Amino acid sequence: MANSWMMRHRPCKRNGIVNILSQDIKYLQGVGPNRALLLANELGIKTVGDLLAYYPYKYVDRSRFYQIREIDGAMPYVQLCGQIFSFDTVGEGRNKRLIGHFSDGTGSIDLVWFQGIKYVTKNYDCRKDYVVFGKPTVFNGKIQIAHPEIETLPSPSLQGGNDFSANENADEQGNNPLPIGRVRGGSVFRPSYNTSEKMKRSGLNSSAIAKLTANMFKLLKEPLAETLPPYIVQQHHLMSYDDAVRNIHYPTSPDALRHAQLRLKFEELFYVQLNILRYVKDRQLRYKGIVFNTIGEHFNGFFYNHLPFQLTEAQKRVIREIRADMKTGRQMNRLLQGDVGSGKTLVALMVALIAIDNGYQACIMAPTEILAEQHLDTLRELLGDLPVRVELLTGTVKGKKRTAVFEGLVTGDIHILVGTHAVIEDNVMFNKLGLVVIDEQHRFGVAQRAKLWMKNSVPPHVLVMTATPIPRTLAMTLYGDLDVSVIDELPPGRKPIHTVHMFDAHRQRIYQLMNRELQLGRQIYIVYPLIKETEKMDLKDLEAGFEEINKAFPNYKVGKVHGKMKPADKDAEMQRFASHETHILVSTTVIEVGVNVPNASVMIIENAERFGLSQLHQLRGRVGRGADQSYCVLVTKFEIGETTRKRIQVMVDTTDGFEIAEQDLKLRGPGDLEGTQQSGMAFDLKIANLARDGQILNIARDTAQAVITFDPEERNPQNDILWRRLRELRKSNINWGAIS
Ligand code: ADP
Ligand code: MG
């Protein structure tokens, strides 16, 4: 499919074009100081080059003509060809409007103007052929188009030589003489650009931006320089950069648009991957890894005498992968993904035992104090009488206890340190730190991870564990510097959680379920959404819910936790629930991560529509930890949108975290996914979509990897263009620089 336009190599005067691209947007025809300010503040467009990179979000096909009898008020923009038969002015004052009765022989509609009435009657004539373009709506039972765009029929010379015939009317009718509605620059597609409300109020709407991009292309007469090495362009049969940016704004054909999109998506993903993989290479060159080649008494002692159950196959596989990685002499940087309850803690412990067998210490980091304490208890219980010392370091470990921990770490008496953020503070020093495990990684950024490396002369191996399954495409981008292991199997004997969607009006049925479970001796969580822990408004729901539940269940004890409570009070309340002193726990999402109360069998989530899917999945994972049947009730109001209904349905249909994550990515887009903001490798993709462009991403990553592999010292002159571009991108994209 090497079309001629793909390979066209035109001579280019690079400097002239570069100058235009770096020119202040203010001087572009149609901009001026006021609009320049708006463009800069609202869209970050400061130069002509920025405008060039401001791609349309959709296109309106101007090659398609509709017949009036085909259209209805639900259609998007349509293009018609016909004549105005008469004008009427109706209404008075603010209601005054001009109606043009428009017909194409198959039916008639009203064209309506509220403003510019004089201009219209002066410039458009009755019984003359016009191309009319706009969004049909229904008013008083009649279809109308308000403020349509009107053009006279293009002269016959323009109609010749069009290279595609998307004119479906002509096909149907056979003899329809309708023209191809070419707009600027020979394009049949009209670009639509996103603009803000503020911009629209000042007349800078989509079509105003389109005028600016058209003016821009008038300046860009010379071809733009290629931004990828020719060998990569050829290898993947990509459109040239110059053709791609022109076609992305003003496509000359649907096919050209597809190729332009492909080229620009590839390029975008390629540079993101090149940035990541180059960083990985540098990291490997800069840091040697500790070699763990012994499996000794700690690991074996635990494995043969203390393991309370058989490892799942997935756990075994993952431990093997990690062991192999830690033997290579490279520093391990691995992401361990495993659904809630898949047994990651056990894996972490066994890996820590390998570190201890090799004479090193391990550190396990959790995002909250409650979790850190829980890990401490779990590890101590699992280890039993094995000679492994595990200690805790959190913000609440103070005074003598804290000093003792610091000492034990420096002397090496402490084998495993469990803690929160507190462990990365500068004054925490280890004797020989060999392994860092970070649980629930999405709360830790790349910078924090890197800080841990400095705790040993040779950086420790790093294992990042997450129960928020991340779709592969997202993982490759957000955590593209990590190798990935997956536990894709739950320990045997778990019953899938039964999930139902109920409306507020079903309160009595929900209470029935609750009563039944309470009578069986089970416990119940009720969770309320909290947008910002600081906002009082959100707490009102929680307080009201708490009172209501107290009234409805007078024979049971109800606890309450939220983020505004003092940590000690919060912990105490959680503890009361864990020890079954309270039966129902009303809370905000503070219980989200990792808390383990196996006797709890019901999770009720109020205003479920306000949670992200992965968050719902996390919350649901709080139940179903024992052997009994558990339930999750997702409560919403009756009136919810289509997307919301679909999202809730995903939760009802599956308990597979990966499936949920994929669906979430599809329904919401990557920008909203949890973890994207905190990851530290946040990125802002202009055109590629991680939900849809997985295939392009794979190719882009492989291509970037090949560049790194075959030109590790960056000496190949063919790649100069590529490193130069990467430097530019790193300069203009703050987050890109943040990864090294
Ligand atoms: P998560 O991956 O969510 O951190 P945990 O490590 O907390 O999961 O494990 C959940 C529960 O499953 C714990 O009670 C743990 O003891 C248990 N568990 C872990 N591995 C196995 C196994 N192979 N067989 C049976 N139970 C297991
Ligand atoms: Mg866990």
Side-chain angles (χ1 to χ4, degrees):
M1 54 169 192
N3 293 349
S4 60
W5 44 258
M6 287 180 189
M7 297 297 177
R8 211 184 309 152
H9 290 297
R10 287 180 279 195
C12 54
K13 290 188 198 133
R14 197 157 180 280
N15 288 340
I17 289 285
V18 167
N19 284 341
I20 295 171
L21 291 183
S22 55
Q23 213 172 66
D24 193 325
I25 194 73
K26 182 162 65 181
Y27 303 113
L28 181 70
Q29 186 195 341
V31 183
N34 293 339
R35 285 183 154 191
L37 210 61
L38 265 178
L39 286 168
N41 292 341
E42 299 293 301
L43 304 178
I45 296 175
K46 298 190 182 109
T47 64
V48 173
D50 293 339
L51 182 64
L52 184 69
Y54 193 68
Y55 305 141
Y57 70 97
K58 70 166 188 188
Y59 305 85
V60 179
D61 185 351
R62 297 296 297 260
S63 67
R64 169 91 153 90
F65 280 87
Y66 286 86
Q67 295 182 327
I68 289 177
R69 67 168 177 212
E70 291 178 283
I71 65 174
D72 60 58
M75 282 178 152
Y77 286 80
V78 296
Q79 182 169 244
L80 307 166
C81 185
Q83 298 184 342
I84 299 167
F85 281 85
S86 60
F87 284 110
D88 276 331
T89 313
V90 296
E92 286 298 327
R94 283 177 66 216
N95 277 326
K96 186 170 164 184
R97 57 197 188 274
L98 176 72
I99 295 181
H101 303 284
F102 182 81
S103 167
D104 68 353
T106 72
S108 70
I109 60 162
D110 287 346
L111 308 179
V112 185
W113 289 268
F114 298 92
Q115 280 133 33
I117 292 176
K118 255 201 201 132
Y119 176 88
V120 173
T121 44
K122 199 168 141 218
N123 283 279
Y124 298 115
D125 302 321
C126 289
R127 305 202 172 271
K128 205 173 137 187
D129 285 331
Y130 287 116
V131 174
V132 164
F133 180 79
K135 163 93 186 79
T137 52
V138 178
F139 183 72
N140 280 346
K142 187 149 191 268
I143 294 178
Q144 63 174 40
I145 296 180
H147 288 264
E149 287 178 37
I150 299 192
E151 285 167 11
T152 45
L153 273 188
S155 60
S157 65
L158 258 179
Q159 293 177 46
N162 63 66
D163 44 20
F164 59 96
S165 51
N167 191 334
E168 292 173 23
N169 286 342
D171 292 342
E172 274 166 34
Q173 306 296 314
N175 57 357
N176 193 325
L178 290 179
I180 294 294
R182 283 187 180 273
V183 292
R184 299 176 191 98
S187 179
V188 295
F189 289 96
R190 181 153 298 204
S192 297
Y193 298 92
N194 273 318
T195 66
S196 68
E197 279 310 312
K198 199 168 171 194
M199 293 173 71
K200 282 185 194 123
R201 278 200 299 275
S202 310
L204 253 180
N205 55 12
S206 172
S207 66
I209 303 272
K211 282 195 186 106
L212 299 183
T213 53
N215 290 343
M216 170 181 70
F217 282 116
K218 276 188 223 149
L219 294 177
L220 298 176
K221 289 195 189 78
E222 303 291 334
L224 292 150
E226 193 39 75
T227 47
L228 286 170
Y231 77 91
I232 291 180
V233 174
Q234 276 158 29
Q235 185 189 353
H236 300 292
H237 306 294
L238 297 173
M239 191 184 242
S240 74
Y241 179 69
D242 182 64
D243 277 332
V245 286
R246 290 176 199 276
N247 273 289
I248 204 71
H249 289 280
Y250 294 101
T252 50
S253 72
D255 202 39
L257 175 59
R258 270 194 301 278
H259 279 95
Q261 286 169 330
L262 181 71
R263 149 83 203 213
L264 295 172
K265 284 176 175 189
F266 173 87
E267 173 166 352
E268 182 168 50
L269 295 170
F270 170 80
Y271 277 108
V272 169
Q273 291 300 321
L274 189 70
N275 190 42
I276 295 171
L277 293 171
R278 188 175 185 249
Y279 162 75
V280 171
K281 184 203 70 185
D282 282 352
R283 188 174 64 196
Q284 284 169 3
L285 284 179
R286 224 181 305 165
Y287 305 108
K288 281 219 306 259
I290 306 161
V291 181
F292 286 172
N293 47 21
T294 313
I295 296 293
E297 53 181 302
H298 295 96
F299 185 92
N300 286 330
F302 178 76
F303 187 71
Y304 293 111
N305 305 322
H306 289 262
L307 196 58
F309 26 61
Q310 286 249 306
L311 294 176
T312 63
E313 286 307 313
Q315 283 171 319
K316 284 188 212 163
R317 188 191 66 239
V318 163
I319 291 172
R320 272 200 302 272
E321 282 168 5
I322 294 169
R323 257 179 72 180
D325 207 0
M326 296 193 305
K327 274 201 285 209
T328 57
R330 280 187 327 172
Q331 182 209 13
M332 175 174 78
N333 276 280
R334 187 168 284 274
L335 178 69
L336 173 57
Q337 294 200 45
D339 221 332
V340 191
S342 60
K344 293 185 294 295
T345 316
L346 193 60
V347 171
L349 173 61
M350 295 186 67
V351 175
L353 293 174
I354 297 176
I356 298 167
D357 276 341
N358 285 273
Y360 283 86
Q361 295 163 291
C363 172
I364 300 178
M365 251 169 108
T368 65
E369 300 213 347
I370 298 177
L371 269 172
E373 283 164 24
Q374 213 166 63
H375 275 325
L376 178 80
D377 294 345
T378 309
L379 295 190
R380 283 187 173 163
E381 201 182 310
L382 284 166
L383 287 164
D385 59 1
L386 277 172
V388 176
R389 185 169 160 205
V390 190
E391 294 293 343
L392 179 76
L393 184 65
T394 65
T396 47
V397 178
K398 293 212 171 86
K400 269 191 198 148
K401 259 187 160 173
R402 199 175 183 85
T403 319
V405 170
F406 283 0
E407 271 174 25
L409 288 174
V410 172
T411 58
D413 289 346
I414 296 176
H415 299 102
I416 302 177
L417 179 68
V418 179
T420 51
H421 283 79
V423 305
I424 58 172
E425 278 161 27
D426 292 334
N427 53 2
V428 181
M429 280 173 291
F430 292 80
N431 179 28
K432 270 174 100 180
L433 181 62
L435 169 75
V436 174
V437 179
I438 303 173
D439 197 5
E440 312 295 352
Q441 104 299 335
H442 57 276
R443 321 254 156 150
F444 293 107
V446 173
Q448 284 167 307
R449 260 194 264 150
K451 217 172 159 187
L452 278 158
W453 303 357
M454 304 309 153
K455 299 221 172 270
N456 203 55
S457 51
V458 180
H461 295 298
V462 178
L463 181 67
V464 176
M465 306 200 297
T466 175
T468 312
I470 305 163
R472 230 179 59 82
T473 54
L474 200 59
M476 267 165 71
T477 309
L478 284 179
Y479 306 106
D481 63 320
L482 305 179
D483 295 311
V484 179
S485 288
V486 180
I487 307 186
D488 50 5
E489 182 188 356
L490 291 181
R494 299 270 170 85
K495 286 203 184 77
I497 301 159
H498 188 73
T499 304
V500 288
H501 177 194
M502 289 198 182
F503 300 117
D504 287 329
H506 293 150
R507 203 55 65 185
Q508 286 314 316
R509 276 168 63 195
I510 299 172
Y511 285 176
Q512 271 169 24
L513 170 72
M514 290 172 67
N515 261 314
R516 198 187 70 202
E517 291 295 303
L518 287 166
Q519 275 160 24
L520 289 170
R522 303 280 120 72
Q523 288 162 278
I524 296 171
Y525 291 105
I526 303 177
V527 179
Y528 285 86
L530 199 56
I531 303 306
K532 287 199 191 94
E533 289 274 343
T534 48
E535 274 174 17
K536 278 208 198 95
M537 263 305 289
D538 289 319
L539 282 181
K540 252 173 51 188
D541 283 355
L542 178 83
E543 299 290 351
F546 178 68
E547 266 175 40
E548 202 182 303
I549 293 294
N550 263 313
K551 256 187 243 149
F553 297 91
N555 301 329
Y556 294 97
K557 286 218 182 75
V558 188
K560 176 176 72 180
V561 271
H562 55 79
K564 287 198 92 182
M565 291 163 73
K566 287 204 195 88
D569 296 345
K570 201 165 68 185
D571 281 8
E573 194 63 64
M574 292 296 306
Q575 222 49 61
R576 273 195 287 282
F577 188 65
S579 61
H580 207 164
E581 232 176 281
T582 47
H583 305 97
I584 303 173
L585 185 65
V586 179
S587 85
T588 58
T589 50
V590 290
I591 59 146
E592 183 190 339
V593 193
V595 174
N596 196 11
V597 182
N599 189 51
S601 66
V602 182
M603 167 62 67
I604 296 168
I605 303 174
E606 299 283 345
N607 298 108
E609 74 276 7
R610 284 169 63 182
F611 291 91
L613 282 194
S614 52
Q615 211 178 4
L616 289 175
H617 182 64
Q618 285 285 319
L619 287 168
R620 181 167 62 180
R622 297 307 108 217
V623 297
R625 310 205 130 213
D628 300 295
Q629 179 63 57
S630 293
Y631 303 87
C632 175
V633 184
L634 304 172
V635 188
T636 70
K637 53 184 189 303
F638 184 69
E639 313 84 17
I640 47 173
E642 178 64 10
T643 316
T644 308
R645 203 189 51 70
K646 274 194 195 145
R647 289 176 48 220
I648 302 280
Q649 194 58 39
V650 169
M651 294 302 298
V652 172
D653 289 344
T654 180
T655 52
D656 178 339
F658 279 95
E659 172 70 20
I660 289 168
E662 292 283 351
Q663 295 294 339
D664 204 16
L665 183 58
K666 273 194 201 121
L667 291 168
R668 289 207 300 175
D672 292 328
L673 279 194
E674 280 149 63
T676 51
Q677 288 89 359
Q678 299 102 314
S679 77
M681 214 182 282
F683 56 95
D684 181 16
L685 294 177
K686 281 191 163 69
I687 183 163
N689 178 330
L690 291 177
R692 272 180 247 133
D693 300 326
Q695 241 181 325
I696 305 175
L697 175 62
N698 285 333
I699 299 170
R701 183 163 174 111
D702 289 348
T703 310
Q705 185 60 65
V707 169
I708 303 273
T709 308
F710 294 115
D711 186 18
E713 317 217 310
E714 303 176 9
R715 294 226 178 110
N716 181 352
Q718 288 197 68
N719 288 333
D720 284 354
I721 188 173
L722 212 150
W723 308 121
R724 194 169 53 228
R725 180 78 173 165
L726 188 59
R727 266 198 304 278
E728 278 168 27
L729 290 169
R730 285 172 66 97
K731 237 185 274 160
S732 61
N733 193 331
I734 309 152
N735 294 317
W736 282 36
I739 76 162
S740 60

